[in-house]
Amino acid sequence: MLEWRPSEVPGFKDSFVIEHEVNEELGYVTVSFAGDLVLDEMRGCEDRLLEDARIEKSTRRIYDLSGIELNLNTSQLVQMVEICRNWQIPDETRVAMIGSPQNMSTINLFVTHFNNQALYACRTMQQATRWLNEGELPDLAGDDRYKLIVLRGSLTLDDILRAQREWYSQEDFDAAKPVLWDLRSTSAGSSIAEMRERVPFIVSASKGAERSGKTSILVNSHLMELMVKELIQLGDWRDASRLFTKEQDAITWITSDA
């Protein structure tokens, strides 16, 4: 375990500590933060990590922020985003950020600023290590009972609208057929404000197609769960739509008569 303390510079708080530990067997590093957050001290975090010969730019990372308070105003949040962008971690390198119950909302908001980075907000170390080490999710085996739509990558509501319209335009489109949206391999590419602007278009397209079948939405990300819940509420689809984290539960619901 390597530990760094802030240098003796006016404005630094002695209680802010950064330390890291490398798991060479599984190929990732855990960076832990404790005490009172000092944004300026975080600027050198990546350079200090790379001084460790075991760590490269492509090394997967867990940033454990559960030991600090993140009472950031908008300006400070933007500053933290810019600091982390300047670390220039490759987009495909998986990064997990662990928050405490008190700072998860800030971490979720922070993650939305990294549409291209494989960055995931986690609530536990177990969830973080599972995210770093899991392989690609297998495609669901769709069948005639429901329509399966699988999306991947950074997801905006325009992407959902596009997939929606493509389905509605197909010759065999059946308005009463249930649909399962598999969003497990996506990250949120829209802010809440952007989503609220686009929801009326999605609602209008659904009404125009006279959709009557049930909808299951499958996610495995806490942030995507929050976004989809907001979408269901804004679209007033609470009776016809359900959010799931387990594949079989999602399929069972849309294929049942209830």
Side-chain angles (χ1 to χ4, degrees):
M1 180 81 73
L2 299 182
E3 181 177 299
W4 322 322
R5 289 187 179 275
S7 55
E8 298 299 325
V9 176
F12 282 159
K13 298 180 180 179
D14 292 338
S15 58
F16 183 54
V17 178
I18 308 173
E19 58 188 23
H20 78 269
E21 184 173 14
V22 180
N23 187 319
E24 293 187 81
E25 181 179 357
L26 295 179
Y28 69 86
V29 58
T30 300
V31 185
S32 302
F33 300 84
D36 298 315
L37 175 65
V38 181
L39 288 174
D40 282 344
E41 183 67 12
M42 291 185 68
R43 294 185 189 280
C45 179
E46 181 68 6
D47 290 338
R48 289 174 177 176
L49 273 180
L50 295 177
E51 290 174 0
D52 189 325
R54 299 169 296 173
I55 301 173
E56 299 178 353
K57 281 284 186 183
S58 59
T59 301
R60 294 170 299 162
R61 292 157 167 79
I62 295 175
Y63 292 108
D64 186 356
L65 296 156
S66 60
I68 62 175
E69 293 186 10
L70 285 178
N71 297 321
L72 305 179
N73 58 36
T74 301
S75 176
Q76 290 170 326
L77 179 63
V78 170
Q79 185 181 358
M80 182 172 170
V81 168
E82 290 305 313
I83 288 171
C84 295
R85 281 179 177 159
N86 288 335
W87 291 346
Q88 297 182 343
I89 298 171
D91 291 344
E92 66 275 8
T93 297
R94 289 198 175 202
V95 178
M97 299 192 77
I98 304 175
S100 66
Q102 292 75 27
N103 66 21
M104 277 307 301
S105 59
T106 301
I107 289 179
N108 285 330
L109 185 58
F110 174 87
V111 167
T112 64
H113 289 78
F114 291 82
N115 295 338
N116 298 322
Q117 178 75 53
L119 179 61
Y120 188 45
C122 303
R123 285 168 281 187
T124 64
M125 181 62 72
Q126 182 182 16
Q127 188 180 21
T129 54
R130 188 167 63 245
W131 155 248
L132 290 193
N133 295 298
E134 69 183 4
E136 290 295 324
L137 290 167
D139 288 339
L140 292 176
D143 58 44
D144 291 337
R145 295 175 299 169
Y146 59 92
K147 170 69 177 180
L148 173 63
I149 300 176
V150 181
L151 298 178
R152 293 183 174 87
S154 179
L155 183 69
T156 68
L157 288 201
D158 283 339
D159 296 321
I160 293 177
L161 184 60
R162 189 177 304 110
Q164 191 182 41
R165 286 172 172 166
E166 288 177 358
W167 176 36
Y168 297 163
S169 65
Q170 293 174 1
E171 292 183 1
D172 60 348
F173 170 69
D174 179 356
K177 192 170 190 175
V179 59
L180 170 55
W181 293 79
D182 184 356
L183 307 183
R184 293 176 299 168
S185 296
T186 65
S187 59
S190 291
S191 66
I192 294 292
E194 290 170 329
M195 185 177 66
R196 286 173 174 161
E197 290 178 357
R198 305 304 287 170
V199 163
F201 295 95
I202 293 178
V203 173
S204 176
S206 180
K207 289 182 177 178
E210 299 182 345
R211 275 280 295 141
S212 59
K214 295 192 294 185
T215 299
S216 284
I217 305 169
L218 186 59
V219 301
N220 65 350
S221 156
H222 179 59
L223 181 57
M224 287 302 296
E225 181 180 343
L226 293 175
M227 296 287 280
V228 171
K229 282 181 178 178
E230 182 86 1
L231 175 62
I232 290 174
Q233 181 176 353
L234 291 172
D236 196 21
W237 291 320
R238 282 163 288 190
D239 294 333
S241 301
R242 292 288 187 277
L243 178 67
F244 296 92
T245 57
K246 295 182 179 179
E247 173 184 325
Q248 191 53 55
D249 291 345
I251 295 173
T252 298
W253 185 73
I254 55 170
T255 56
S256 68
D257 294 330

